């Protein structure tokens, strides 16, 4: 896949050609520099965390100021951003130069540190405002005001107050603030895996996924919908971004779905729901999954493995819903797909899957995710020259670095802001007090706390990127959930899932809105439809509480039982929500399917042998089987009666 030099230029309506070219070159140079820094740090290590994170953020923030400068019509405004770009480049090199001195004085700030800190915070505020919006600006402002004026607050929520010197020591000279764990995850995992996904997209692995999905599902009724669901989920497992996935695969799958009879609304909803699966589908998942591994303190491979079954349940529900919608609408098949396309793709392009095999194989064998990603990138660069059609040149590599940097700007801004808020919460002790407050609000009841958490996750997800919403709730709410007896991984997965729901739920359904732009449907209608198709994201998290076996936690018996019950419940609920199975279902029949699902997934341990629980689940299974049998037999009886008549 060849990329022209023109594609390396940043978009700008207002800047002159020479100015735009100069800024684009600087942005690309910084992108390549960041990629080099991240790859070196990932494979060789040896760079102190504070230094690596500070240099990474300085480079990213400097590039961000250049990127956002081109949005402004006023030359004065653009000049201000160019000045901010220079200021952004100061803190990282400053910490490198004075690092030994900072260590010798115990990270206690002095006069010049305070000035650099003020410059850093100014850049963070501007960066967050441009990349994320006002929600995190408000949170950071509130955190600073609370920390500074704490001595004026009466009662247990008050404190002695902290000055600029303490802010600088905590938020800049240590790994407790801007350069905390979230920023470490951004430099060690998020940028690296985004680069991995960008390079695989460049060499054509995404196209392979689409063709494999079409080959597997294309000949089935409504096959384009199924192939869209499957290919978007597969591609999303590489880039971990719902919106980027919609834009990448939706331009092909949505027109194809519309061509065989799907409405614009349904085609967009299928693509949005499928693309959002990428954030929960291993091996890459979304940025928040890497943050989760660091917050819990377990290997990322364990997080990815735990996420596998819920992700497959989501895709199963989506595939069932899409297939039943195709039956209801009596849609055509994709005549250009099928077994021949599958075999042709495997024969000619299966080698493009090798980087993914290398990545998964190395992680399973015990290598760190960072080393596995570096080797996966190397594998991609080694296999792409095998055929002329998949070869990439030096400009393609620069473009991959540039795309990766552009795509990760909002995430880096979010983790910088989250680092500030978390640092201040830890400094003031408010984090622990809020956990106690949440338990008080829930009256010590786990289910009440879960509902409050789900609501908070959903609300934060509307205004914040997934990573920022997860980070804040992981610090504020997860401790309260674990205090009430919930498994740590289950608690964090619960927060993670509900933070992701906003991608397909109004009023900020970014994935659905992106799909609606391509399909030509009304955005909010598309979002509502995608929410119906992706309902599993709303229900499965509650299974993490009662059946942690779906996260592969517990004994073999409990895991098998949990997966079995969850699969049956998902199938039954999917049919009930769809309202069609060989014929339109009455509201009573749909309700019975939903009741069967609730009984099968009754909120109790999967291996609970109490009489009531066994009776409820047995009744649910019998009801589900009976409804399926009726759906299979009734058309045959109707056909016989018609024949007799």
């Amino acid at each position: 896949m060849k990329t022209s030099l023109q594609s390396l230029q940043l978009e700008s309506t207002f800047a002159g050609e020479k100015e735009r070219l100069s800024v684009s070159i600087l942005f690309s140079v910084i992108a390549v520099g960041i990629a080099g820094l991240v790859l070196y740090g990932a494979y060789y290590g040896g760079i102190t965390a504070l230094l690596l994170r500070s240099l990474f953020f300085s480079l990213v923030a400097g590039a961000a100021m250049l990127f956002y400068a081109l949005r402004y019509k006023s030359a004065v405004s653009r000049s201000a951003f160019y000045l901010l770009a220079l200021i952004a480049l100061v803190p990282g090199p400053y910490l490198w130069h004075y690092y030994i001195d900072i260590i010798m004085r115990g990270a206690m700030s002095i006069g010049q540190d305070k000035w650099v800190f003020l410059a850093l915070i100014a850049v963070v505020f501007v960066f967050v405002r441009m990349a994320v919006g006002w929600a995190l600006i408000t949170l950071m402002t509130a955190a600073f005001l609370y920390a500074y004026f704490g001595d004026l607050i009466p009662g247990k929520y008050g404190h002695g107050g902290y000055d600029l010197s303490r802010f600088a020591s905590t938020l800049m000279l240590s790994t407790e603030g801007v350069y905390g764990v979230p920023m470490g995850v951004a430099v060690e995992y998020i940028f690296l895996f985004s680069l991995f996904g960008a390079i695989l997209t460049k060499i054509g692995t995404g196209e392979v996924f689409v063709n494999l999905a079409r080959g597997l599902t294309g000949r089935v009724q409504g096959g384009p919908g199924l192939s869209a669901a499957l290919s978007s989920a597969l591609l999303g497992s590489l880039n971990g971004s719902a919106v980027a996935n919609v834009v990448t695969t939706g331009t092909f799958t949505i027109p194809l779905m519309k061509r065989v009879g799907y409405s614009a609304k349904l085609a967009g909803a299928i693509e949005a729901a499928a693309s959002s699966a990428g954030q929960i589908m291993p091996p890459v998942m979304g940025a928040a999954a890497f943050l989760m591994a660091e917050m819990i303190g377990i290997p990322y491979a364990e997080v990815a493995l735990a996420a596998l079954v819920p992700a497959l349940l989501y895709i199963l529900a989506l595939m069932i819903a899409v297939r039943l919608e195709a039956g209801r609408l009596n849609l055509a098949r994709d005549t250009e797909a099928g077994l021949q396309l599958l075999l042709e793709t495997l024969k000619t392009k299966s080698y493009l899957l090798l980087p993914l095999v290398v990545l998964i194989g190395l992680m399973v064998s015990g290598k760190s995710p960072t080393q596995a990603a570096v080797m996966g990138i190397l594998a991609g660069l080694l296999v792409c020259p095998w055929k002329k059609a998949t070869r990439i040149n030096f400009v393609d590599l620069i473009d991959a670095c540039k795309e990766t940097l552009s795509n990760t700007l909002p995430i880096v801004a979010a983790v910088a802001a989250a680092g500030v808020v978390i640092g201040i919460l830890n400094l003031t002790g408010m984090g622990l007090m809020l956990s106690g407050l949440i338990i008080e609000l829930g009256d010590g009841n786990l289910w009440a706390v879960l509902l409050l958490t789900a609501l908070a996750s959903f609300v934060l997800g509307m205004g914040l990127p997934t990573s920022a919403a997860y980070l804040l709730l992981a610090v504020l709410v997860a401790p309260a959930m674990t205090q009430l007896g919930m498994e740590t991984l289950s608690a964090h997965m619960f927060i993670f899932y509900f933070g992701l729901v906003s991608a397909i739920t109004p009023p900020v359904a970014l994935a659905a809105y992106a799909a609606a732009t391509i399909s030509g449907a009304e955005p909010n209608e598309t979002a509502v439809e995608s929410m119906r198709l992706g309902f599993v994201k709303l229900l499965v998290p509650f299974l993490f509480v009662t059946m942690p076996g779906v996260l592969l936690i517990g004994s073999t018996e409990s895991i098998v039982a949990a997966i079995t019950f969850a699969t049956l419940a998902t199938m039954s609920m999917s049919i009930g929500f769809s309202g069609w199975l060989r014929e339109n279902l009455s509201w009573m029949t749909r309700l019975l399917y939903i009741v069967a699902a609730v009984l099968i997934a009754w909120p109790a341990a999967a291996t609970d042998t109490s009489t009531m629980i066994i009776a409820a689940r047995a009744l649910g299974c019998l009801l589900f089987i009976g409804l399926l049998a009726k759906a299979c037999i009734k058309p045959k009886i109707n056909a016989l009666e018609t024949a007799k008549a």
Side-chain angles (χ1 to χ4, degrees), residues 397-456:
L397 289 177
I398 296 175
D399 192 49
C401 295
K402 170 181 160 288
E403 286 182 8
T404 302
L405 178 55
S406 300
N407 293 336
T408 53
L409 289 181
I411 297 173
V412 175
V415 298
V420 169
V421 174
I422 292 169
I424 291 176
L425 288 174
N426 291 334
L427 178 66
T428 59
M430 176 55 86
L432 292 174
M433 287 188 285
L434 282 175
S435 293
L437 178 62
I438 290 166
I439 293 175
E440 288 177 23
L441 286 173
D443 198 26
N445 184 290
L446 177 59
W447 286 96
V449 170
L450 287 174
L451 290 173
L452 286 171
T453 303
L455 180 62

Side-chain angles (χ1 to χ4, degrees), residues 499-631:
L500 297 177
V501 167
S502 63
I504 57 172
T505 49
V508 192
L510 295 180
Y513 293 169
T517 301
I518 299 171
S519 69
E522 202 281 322
N524 283 321
E525 289 181 2
T526 302
V528 171
E529 189 72 5
S530 64
M531 187 169 59
R532 181 179 69 84
L533 295 171
F535 74 93
V536 168
K537 272 192 181 177
L538 296 169
L539 301 180
V540 163
F542 289 100
L543 294 181
F544 300 163
V545 186
T546 57
M547 298 184 191
V550 296
L551 297 174
L552 306 183
I553 297 173
S555 64
T556 304
E557 293 80 4
S558 65
I559 290 172
V560 172
I563 292 174
T564 302
F565 291 140
T567 302
L568 292 174
T570 298
M571 293 169 66
S572 186
M573 190 74 78
S574 297
I575 297 170
F577 271 64
S578 175
W580 190 92
L581 184 61
R582 294 201 166 191
E583 63 178 3
N584 286 321
L585 302 179
S586 66
W587 279 104
M588 180 56 70
T589 303
R590 295 178 69 175
L591 181 61
L592 288 174
Y593 273 109
I594 294 171
V595 168
V598 172
L599 290 172
I600 294 169
W602 192 262
T607 52
D608 192 324
T609 54
S610 62
T611 304
M612 190 187 83
I613 301 302
I614 291 176
R617 287 178 175 155
L619 178 60
C621 290
L622 289 173
L623 180 58
F624 179 46
I625 293 169
L627 290 168
L628 288 179
K630 178 186 174 185

Side-chain angles (χ1 to χ4, degrees), residues 311-326:
L312 293 177
L313 288 174
Y314 179 82
I315 293 171
L316 172 65
L318 184 59
M319 298 283 277
I320 291 173
V322 171
R323 174 63 185 87
L324 295 181
E325 287 294 333

Side-chain angles (χ1 to χ4, degrees), residues 222-225 255-262 330-334:
L256 184 60
M257 284 189 278
K258 290 172 68 177
R259 194 160 67 236
V260 298
Y262 285 96
N330 194 25
L331 299 181
R333 291 164 170 77
D334 183 359

Side-chain angles (χ1 to χ4, degrees), residues 366-422:
K367 289 286 186 183
S368 70
T370 53
Q371 289 180 317
V374 172
M375 296 309 294
I377 290 171
L378 183 60
L381 297 178
L382 288 175
V383 300
C384 72
W386 290 5
K387 291 189 177 180
K388 186 176 180 180
T390 59
R391 289 174 192 161
I392 58 175
N393 55 33
F394 187 65
V395 177
D396 288 311
L397 289 177
I398 296 175
D399 192 49
C401 295
K402 170 181 160 288
E403 286 182 8
T404 302
L405 178 55
S406 300
N407 293 336
T408 53
L409 289 181
I411 297 173
V412 175
V415 298
V420 169
V421 174
I422 292 169

Side-chain angles (χ1 to χ4, degrees), residues 3 22 28 57 94-95 187 228 250 276 290 316 337 345 353 383 420 441 450 464 470 503 614 621:
T3 302
S22 300
S28 297
F57 181 72
Y94 175 84
L95 291 178
V187 63
S276 66
F290 296 107
L316 172 65
T345 302
L353 299 175
V383 300
V420 169
L441 286 173
L450 287 174
L464 301 176
Y470 165 74
I614 291 176
C621 290

